[in-house]
Amino acid sequence: MRSKRRTNGIPTRIIALLATVALGLLPTLAPSRATALENGLARTPPMGWNPWNVFGCDIDERTMRATADLLVSSGLKDAGYRSLVLDDCWMARVRGADGNLMADPVRFPSGIRALADDVHARGLEIGIYEDAGLLTCQQFPGSYGHYQEDAALFASWGIDYLKFDWCFANVDNLPYACPREAGLSPEECRDRLWPADMSAGLSHPDAYARMRDALAATGRPIAFSICTWGAGKPWLWGRETGNLWRTTPDIEDSWESVMTILDQNAGLARYAGPGGWNDPDMLEVGNGGMTDTEYRAHFSLWAIMAAPLMAGNDLGAMTPETLGILTNAEVIAVDQDPLGAQGVRIRDDGDQEVWVKPLADGSRTIGLFNRDGAPARISVSAAEAGLPPAATYRARDLWAHTDATVEAEIAATVPAHGIALFRVSPP
Ligand code: GAL
């Protein structure tokens, strides 16, 4: 999907310099290592709710306020889902006369500051969405050329979390580089529409470092969510730049999508830890495209991978089963464990897998995961799972909420597309 970097014959260093000058920032060619992110936020993976997976662009302040109320009344807030994050389409199509972003006047008539106040009054935090490039993915004004002003505006509104996307930012990604309305091919778009200084686009680490610094300059703690869909390998530079970084393309409400994303995120465990997390995208739990067994597996695997837990379902139409999955405190505790280790797949027998996540108290979460369409018996020895030698272990089943004493082996018959999840500790 992404073509090779194009420079139109202009040396990359010159393009980088032009882009830097155009951004109105210091003329250095690379972000300074001395400015590594130390904002003290996201010591455990962020948790919250985002409308994108269920509502897409169809959002307004009534939905957001109603969702804030539902986060509280459903118990999701108490379970840890504290950030209500606006996604794309909250904006007016153009900036105001002062150059500032404006909320869509029809869908957000009272403005984002008022919404933020209401969200804070409910004991929640509020997040917002913008884009590093010329336009957001849904073609609202991007932050390119306005990083400082936009960061200052968000801080003045009381924003606590920024998801910063990567559309219209880089010709490596030509299919997404040109506004649809322009009716141009990607190549024509690049040649005619893009500012000359952006002909090669922005560099991922550089652009995000600039927004990181703009956020820091506001003095307000704002968690920073990097959203390049894995482009530019954000796990390699994300820790010094943001609190979480998307590692994959967008999730869909299907088993195939969840499996694809799982495999893309699985090998990145070494990059995650307190303050900076691999983000395999938001949850689809409760959106209807999968069975509850599959949603339990999706949720469990995200917890094992210490993924941010951003619920993405309609809280006004939530089944008790969906609520039960999202509020399983024992699974959430795995995700939020203070050690902050991303679990790994220690065994891959084709359709049967064993996942292990070490926890701060010395116990280990063990996931026996069955990708097959038929039930399967899966087992792992305590030694293979990295547990210290002992005659017996206590195995807590995190979905059945039962305890068992096991000897050298942890085993279960796992349903199709299901997971058995245990917290195993020496006696
Ligand atoms: C994508 C992003 C999605 C959503 C969407 C909005 O780039 O990955 O999570 O934010 O843009 O247009």
Side-chain angles (χ1 to χ4, degrees):
M1 181 170 73
R2 290 173 192 132
S3 58
K4 283 177 76 179
R5 176 177 290 274
R6 321 221 7 189
T7 59
N8 291 334
I10 306 167
T12 314
R13 278 174 64 87
I14 294 185
I15 289 164
L17 183 61
L18 287 170
T20 306
V21 171
L23 286 165
L25 296 166
L26 293 174
T28 49
L29 289 179
S32 156
R33 299 282 147 181
T35 52
L37 187 69
E38 280 166 14
N39 66 2
L41 302 173
R43 306 315 295 170
T44 60
M47 291 177 67
W49 181 88
N50 176 306
W52 182 254
N53 284 351
V54 61
F55 296 125
C57 265
D58 193 12
I59 51 168
D60 56 33
E61 62 179 46
R62 279 185 38 190
T63 310
M64 297 306 286
R65 283 200 172 84
T67 303
D69 287 337
L70 285 161
L71 278 169
V72 176
S73 62
S74 65
L76 281 163
K77 177 192 155 196
D78 286 345
Y81 298 84
R82 294 194 176 260
S83 290
L84 184 80
V85 182
L86 286 159
D87 210 282
D88 209 343
C89 307
W90 63 266
M91 281 179 239
R93 284 280 174 197
V94 290
R95 288 175 179 267
D98 60 358
N100 274 338
L101 297 167
M102 299 181 301
D104 181 296
V106 176
R107 289 182 289 112
F108 291 87
S110 50
I112 305 300
R113 171 82 226 201
L115 177 63
D117 288 346
D118 285 350
V119 169
H120 288 146
R122 289 161 175 76
L124 298 164
E125 299 186 338
I126 185 160
I128 206 160
Y129 166 101
E130 243 297 359
D131 187 284
L134 295 172
L135 298 168
T136 74
C137 295
Q138 304 305 317
Q139 305 187 9
F140 292 86
S143 273
Y144 175 73
H146 301 270
Y147 288 10
Q148 280 99 336
E149 299 93 300
D150 292 353
L153 183 68
F154 296 153
S156 77
W157 284 345
I159 295 296
D160 306 296
Y161 179 108
L162 172 64
K163 173 176 173 180
F164 208 44
D165 213 341
W166 190 245
C167 279
F168 303 99
N170 190 311
V171 286
D172 285 355
N173 194 25
L174 274 175
Y176 295 117
C178 199
R180 280 192 286 273
E181 288 80 2
L184 302 172
S185 76
E187 286 73 18
E188 286 170 329
C189 169
R190 182 195 62 234
D191 295 342
R192 293 201 223 153
L193 213 103
W194 276 48
D197 59 294
M198 269 187 74
S199 60
L202 309 174
S203 106
H204 308 88
D206 209 47
Y208 282 91
R210 292 181 196 295
M211 192 44 142
R212 168 201 64 195
D213 294 345
L215 291 172
T218 70
R220 182 176 176 84
I222 299 178
F224 191 28
S225 161
I226 296 167
C227 183
T228 66
W229 332 292
K233 297 191 169 61
W235 46 89
L236 297 179
W237 45 268
R239 178 160 285 284
E240 66 188 45
T241 307
N243 297 109
L244 58 161
W245 46 88
R246 280 275 302 278
T247 56
T248 73
D250 288 10
I251 196 167
E252 289 168 23
D253 186 18
S254 74
W255 183 248
E256 292 68 32
S257 169
V258 169
M259 291 304 96
T260 304
I261 283 180
L262 177 71
D263 291 339
Q264 290 176 342
N265 199 59
L268 303 173
R270 81 189 77 116
Y271 302 107
W277 309 98
N278 290 311
D279 176 7
D281 208 358
M282 302 174 289
L283 298 168
E284 291 284 6
V285 176
N287 281 336
M290 290 179 258
T291 65
D292 286 335
T293 300
E294 291 171 334
Y295 284 137
R296 268 190 293 277
H298 168 29
F299 192 70
S300 303
L301 289 160
W302 262 232
I304 289 176
M305 294 193 297
L309 298 180
M310 287 289 168
N313 58 312
D314 180 354
L315 301 189
M318 186 163 44
T319 65
E321 289 75 20
T322 295
L323 182 63
I325 294 170
L326 290 174
T327 57
N328 184 328
E330 295 192 279
V331 179
I332 292 172
V334 169
D335 181 78
Q336 296 289 303
D337 184 74
L339 186 63
Q342 178 173 328
V344 293
R345 177 162 47 197
I346 63 157
R347 210 168 74 213
D348 182 353
D349 297 337
D351 279 337
Q352 281 79 46
E353 300 178 355
V354 178
W355 288 73
V356 175
K357 182 187 200 286
L359 302 172
D361 66 358
S363 66
R364 298 200 154 217
T365 302
I366 298 180
L368 306 175
F369 177 44
N370 181 17
R371 296 167 90 122
D372 202 358
R377 182 91 185 151
I378 307 177
S379 69
V380 64
S381 73
E384 195 185 350
L387 285 155
T392 58
Y393 300 87
R394 174 176 171 255
R396 173 85 178 160
D397 184 323
L398 302 187
W399 286 107
H401 307 296
T402 53
D403 286 312
T405 300
V406 297
E407 295 180 352
E409 190 181 71
I410 296 96
T413 299
V414 186
H417 295 183
I419 195 164
L421 197 63
F422 299 98
R423 184 170 182 143
V424 183
S425 32

